[in-house]
Amino acid sequence: NAGVTQTPKFQVLKTGQSMTLQCAQDMNHNSMYWYRQDPGMGLRLIYYSASEGTTDKGEVPNGYNVSRLNKREFSLRLESAAPSQTSVYFCASSERTGGSSYNSPLHFGNGTRLTVT
Amino acid sequence: DAKTTQPNSMESNEEEPVHLPCNHSTISGTDYIHWYRQLPSQGPEYVIHGLTSNVNNRMASLAIAEDRKSSTLILHRATLRDAAVYYCILRPPKPGSGNTGKLIFGQGTTLQVKP
């Protein structure tokens, strides 16, 4: 049981390049999330997917797109990377089986460290 | 989304109890209080959550004030492995009426544990 797996672990991009961060979970969770973490800023929500087939913007969605490929996978795409997108990116998932289950815990991956030069 | 306020940092001695405070004066009646922690170079890890009553699990205890405007995460015997950033977060029970049910993280409290 791997939990939440993020690839790659590290990435260096040049300004203007594009890339997709991959996330997969094996816990049969319905909801998935993308956060970014910058020094002194805590975690900020980029996008989330409450269930397969739906996605919604979080606090800082500009410059990103997401795809909920299936129940297991939720990818984050940077179409034209900028230095301001240098950050650590975390994917998370949570179970959602009913109205009260939005309080189920989030399970996080170990992050992708992205540097844009 | 209602906000939380936590001290930036706290120190504790190993094997002593630690009380991590969190203020959430604008909490709504249906917001749950969640705690997560983040060890260095890892993703956040769920610790505990509650609504009104105090909660205990194998990792910690959560004490919630009667008016729910504050809460305290209690680590009963701190170990060096408990050194982490601790986040107190409010979460609406489900989407609707402008709520999205999503977790918003603040700055957290950095806990240092001294041997």
Side-chain angles (χ1 to χ4, degrees), chain A residues 41 43-44 59, chain B residues 1-6 21-28 31-34 68-71 87-92 99 102-108:
Chain A
M41 299 290 289
L43 280 88
R44 292 182 291 171
E59 302 169 85
Chain B
D1 296 317
K3 289 188 179 275
T4 62
T5 304
Q6 299 176 254
C22 182
N23 288 319
H24 28 78
S25 58
T26 60
I27 190 171
S28 77
D31 285 345
Y32 279 74
I33 301 158
H34 285 243
R68 298 202 341 116
K69 292 184 185 299
S70 65
S71 60
Y87 296 97
C88 168
I89 303 147
L90 301 183
R91 190 177 191 191
N99 294 329
K102 61 184 187 285
L103 282 180
I104 302 292
F105 284 74
Q107 302 278 355

Side-chain angles (χ1 to χ4, degrees), chain A residues 30-106:
Chain A
N30 287 294
S31 300
M32 298 185 73
Y33 312 78
W34 276 105
Y35 286 88
R36 61 176 287 176
Q37 185 171 38
D38 305 295
M41 299 290 289
L43 280 88
R44 292 182 291 171
L45 182 65
I46 305 171
Y47 271 93
Y48 70 105
S49 171
S51 61
E52 187 178 357
T54 68
T55 60
D56 281 289
K57 296 178 180 179
E59 302 169 85
V60 289
N62 291 343
Y64 305 96
N65 286 302
V66 290
S67 295
R68 184 73 184 267
L69 304 170
N70 48 54
K71 191 171 185 180
R72 289 187 65 248
E73 299 172 287
F74 189 38
S75 63
L76 179 71
R77 183 161 178 82
L78 287 69
E79 290 291 352
S80 179
S84 61
Q85 294 178 305
T86 293
S87 188
V88 181
Y89 291 85
F90 289 101
C91 177
S93 70
S94 68
E95 187 176 358
R96 173 176 169 265
T97 56
S100 64
S101 293
Y102 285 99
N103 281 289
S104 56
L106 266 63

Side-chain angles (χ1 to χ4, degrees), chain B residues 37-54:
Chain B
R37 72 179 186 180
Q38 187 174 20
L39 279 65
S41 300
Q42 293 187 25
E45 173 189 29
Y46 167 79
V47 178
I48 200 167
H49 77 274
L51 182 62
T52 55
S53 303
N54 295 344

